[in-house]
Amino acid sequence: MKLFLKTTMLLAVFAVSGLLAAQSPQKVKGEDSRFKADILVVVAHPDDEAFFTPYLARAINDLHKRVAVVFSTHGGSGVNRYTRERGPAMANEREIEAREACAKLGIRNVWFLDGKDTASQNLLDSLANWGHGANLERLVGLIRLTRPEVIFTHFPGVFIGENHGDHQATGVLVIEAFDLAANPLVFPSQLAGDMSHYESYLSNLQTWQAKKIYFGSDADDNKQFDGSGPAYSVREFSPSQKKPYWRLALDSAMAHRTQFPDDIERISKLSDAELEKLMSDPNSAWWSEPSTLIFGKSLVGGKPTDDVFANIEQKAQPASLKAGAYCAYAAANESAAGRLPRIELGGPWRFYADFYPAHGLCDLPVAKVPEIGVKTGMTLVIPIVILHDPSRTLSISLTVKVPEGWKVTDGAGQVLLPAEESTSLPVHVETPTLSSEDLKKAVAQEVVVHAEAEGKPVGEVKLRVLLRGSALPQ
Ligand SMILES: [Zn+2]
């Protein structure tokens, strides 16, 4: 009897707990909505967010979009124009300035990768200095955390202008991460949940495919990008803030005291009318009117000039399925590939020739003739690659045509190449030291490297070079 009562009571308890479970199932924790972004901005240095701030002011205040920012370096190289700290100490200051600049626009989700600010025009140098793999892993993790629809970053390409290697390297890292974050085989520990309490470095994230990429460029001639993406007025008034978008962007930029304290000082004393005049004049305005976002790629279709958020609710088509993922550029490369020996520009140019088609970047504006700006009086290096039959050695003759007053110091003449697929041969050219008056009139000039093998022409490469008063080292 006692046993029967006990069993009945137990059954009753089970029945009640089963009933409770049906009424309120245990809630499984989902993703953290505080970190979801519509736009993820990934830029190289504190102050580079300003490439996009007029549009971000529009997106945040009037389109009600969520924005997060990732800086790939802390900006520790260069000059502190404000106080005496430099190097790592200045980098710490610039991190705070960058957070302040973002906070003024209402952006609080801000992260930094571990890239070392590298003063050069060579993206490969930046990637080497940063630790490419570790930073790519971190960026993929941040894309999986922030789940952006659209990513803004730097244009990965070589142009006359600031042409910063860190900018280009950031663009490259973003394109790689855009394509990898949706792949469950890439950095799988980010996707794994813990099976025991001690596996504290598994992230329990999910794969993510962003849908579009847009670029900002530091080229001198931004007119060349007109029509290559959607353009937005920076002078338009924000309906919610009752200020033009440039003004909201300018207020944000005032945080960067270690970078341009004199401008900040001068601007902070100007009246609204004086500011308006300064920012309306194309010669002194900080942002061009309108400001173009250069289209990178879209996995939801549409035209390059369509609005940033056009088609964004559509499901992303994997890049490999997208028509035209193989660019005309790649096709031309492939048809040339059978022809040996041949000469190509090496370094960043050769990297991009492989990189663009591999990532389906078929519509990027490229310089008609490869170009670069270098400091007057410095040695220009032209990285040459000869592709040839790997089964035998090859005798090659290089002749270099330079503008008057320029001098070839290394790399021209007869060379015997080892039996290998490709041989790199840097050509060095000493450039003249121009006066500041001459620099004002300077235009880009062509350097041509011509190759012959066993008496027959192999081809030539051209590089347009502009001498400037200052430029980052190549
Ligand atoms: Zn920068």
Side-chain angles (χ1 to χ4, degrees):
M1 183 67 181
K2 268 184 179 172
L3 186 71
F4 170 77
L5 259 180
K6 254 189 187 168
T7 315
T8 322
M9 277 165 71
L10 265 175
L11 280 173
V13 169
F14 279 129
V16 168
S17 64
L19 197 67
L20 278 177
Q23 281 170 343
S24 54
Q26 195 190 343
K27 209 172 165 191
V28 178
K29 283 184 279 187
E31 62 198 19
D32 194 330
S33 60
R34 293 172 303 166
F35 298 102
K36 162 73 184 160
D38 298 301
I39 303 172
L40 179 65
V41 178
V42 188
V43 286
H45 311 112
D47 89 348
D48 285 334
E49 76 285 351
F51 277 102
F52 304 110
T53 44
Y55 179 80
L56 296 180
R58 174 191 298 265
I60 293 166
N61 292 303
D62 300 311
L63 306 175
H64 311 294
K65 301 294 184 189
R66 294 157 291 182
V67 177
V69 178
V70 175
F71 292 93
S72 47
T73 82
H74 284 78
S77 95
V79 182
N80 182 347
R81 296 187 177 87
Y82 188 52
T83 51
R84 97 173 121 75
E85 299 80 8
R86 61 192 306 278
M90 183 177 70
N92 286 337
E93 296 181 344
R94 288 192 171 168
E95 172 170 344
I96 301 305
E97 290 175 349
R99 290 185 187 282
E100 250 179 66
C102 291
K104 282 193 187 175
L105 281 174
I107 305 165
R108 288 193 162 72
N109 292 344
V110 177
W111 292 275
F112 286 77
L113 303 183
D114 194 27
K116 304 262 179 307
D117 188 354
T118 304
S120 118
Q121 300 196 47
N122 186 352
L123 84 141
L124 302 170
D125 193 27
S126 291
L127 289 174
N129 215 10
W130 293 3
H132 187 165
N135 280 292
L136 178 61
E137 181 174 2
R138 187 146 157 68
L139 184 57
V140 168
L142 285 168
I143 288 176
R144 287 169 172 170
L145 176 68
T146 56
R147 310 181 299 283
E149 305 302 321
V150 176
I151 307 185
F152 291 178
T153 188
H154 298 281
F155 189 108
V158 185
F159 286 95
I160 292 170
E162 186 183 4
N163 200 37
H164 204 303
D166 286 344
H167 294 184
Q168 297 179 56
T170 302
V172 165
L173 213 62
V174 167
I175 290 157
E176 290 175 336
F178 180 98
D179 286 356
L180 293 173
N183 185 338
L185 300 179
V186 173
F187 307 128
S189 68
Q190 294 180 352
L191 306 171
D194 57 320
M195 288 189 281
S196 87
H197 181 63
Y198 301 103
E199 295 164 343
S200 39
Y201 292 99
L202 301 177
S203 297
N204 207 17
L205 291 167
Q206 297 198 351
T207 56
W208 184 258
Q209 182 59 67
K211 291 171 181 167
K212 295 185 182 186
I213 299 186
Y214 293 93
F215 303 119
S217 167
D218 62 11
D220 275 0
D221 172 19
N222 259 308
K223 280 259 160 272
Q224 65 186 308
F225 304 122
D226 285 355
S228 63
Y232 296 93
S233 170
V234 303
R235 293 196 202 142
E236 202 176 312
F237 264 65
S238 159
S240 64
Q241 304 303 304
K242 316 279 184 251
K243 286 178 180 175
Y245 290 117
W246 65 258
R247 182 61 196 261
L248 299 168
L250 188 71
D251 289 347
S252 156
M254 294 297 104
H256 296 294
R257 287 211 171 253
T258 59
Q259 311 221 40
F260 34 90
D262 297 344
D263 287 329
I264 293 171
E265 183 77 17
R266 184 170 52 86
I267 283 170
S268 59
K269 287 180 185 146
L270 297 181
S271 67
D272 283 356
E274 287 167 325
L275 261 182
E276 170 75 38
K277 190 162 173 270
L278 184 81
M279 292 295 161
S280 307
D281 179 352
N283 295 315
S284 56
W286 286 19
W287 294 275
S288 52
E289 170 67 8
S291 181
T292 299
L293 293 168
I294 303 167
F295 175 77
K297 66 173 169 178
S298 162
L299 302 185
V300 289
K303 295 192 301 295
T305 49
D306 281 351
D307 180 70
V308 168
F309 286 96
N311 303 336
I312 214 70
E313 67 295 336
Q314 288 184 20
K315 192 170 165 10
Q317 293 294 319
S320 57
L321 297 180
K322 188 180 162 255
Y326 275 94
C327 318
Y329 192 82
N333 242 15
E334 274 163 19
S335 74
R339 189 168 50 76
L340 292 177
R342 68 177 197 276
I343 181 171
E344 287 184 5
L345 261 185
W349 290 280
R350 187 161 161 72
F351 167 75
Y352 286 126
D354 293 332
F355 184 76
Y356 294 161
H359 288 276
L361 296 163
C362 304
D363 304 309
L364 287 197
V366 289
K368 282 191 195 82
V369 176
E371 61 178 37
I372 196 161
V374 296
K375 189 173 180 217
T376 179
M378 298 296 280
T379 297
L380 165 75
V381 183
I382 306 159
I384 295 296
V385 175
I386 307 287
L387 296 116
H388 54 105
D389 179 355
S391 67
R392 64 183 185 94
T393 59
L394 181 70
S395 176
I396 281 268
S397 167
L398 292 180
T399 46
V400 186
K401 212 170 96 198
V402 294
E404 208 184 312
W406 301 35
K407 194 174 151 210
V408 182
T409 53
D410 199 14
Q414 194 84 19
V415 281
L416 182 66
L417 309 184
E420 61 183 7
E421 257 176 29
S422 70
T423 306
S424 299
L425 299 167
V427 170
H428 290 192
V429 178
E430 217 174 83
T431 67
T433 304
L434 301 185
S435 67
S436 49
E437 276 310 300
D438 286 343
L439 282 170
K440 277 185 205 152
K441 295 177 284 186
V443 290
Q445 305 202 66
E446 229 167 62
V447 175
V448 184
V449 182
H450 178 86
E452 277 188 13
E454 292 156 354
K456 290 189 197 115
V458 162
E460 60 184 27
V461 294
K462 290 179 183 172
L463 186 61
R464 282 176 71 237
V465 184
L466 179 67
L467 297 183
R468 300 157 60 96
S470 69
L472 289 166
Q474 261 185 292

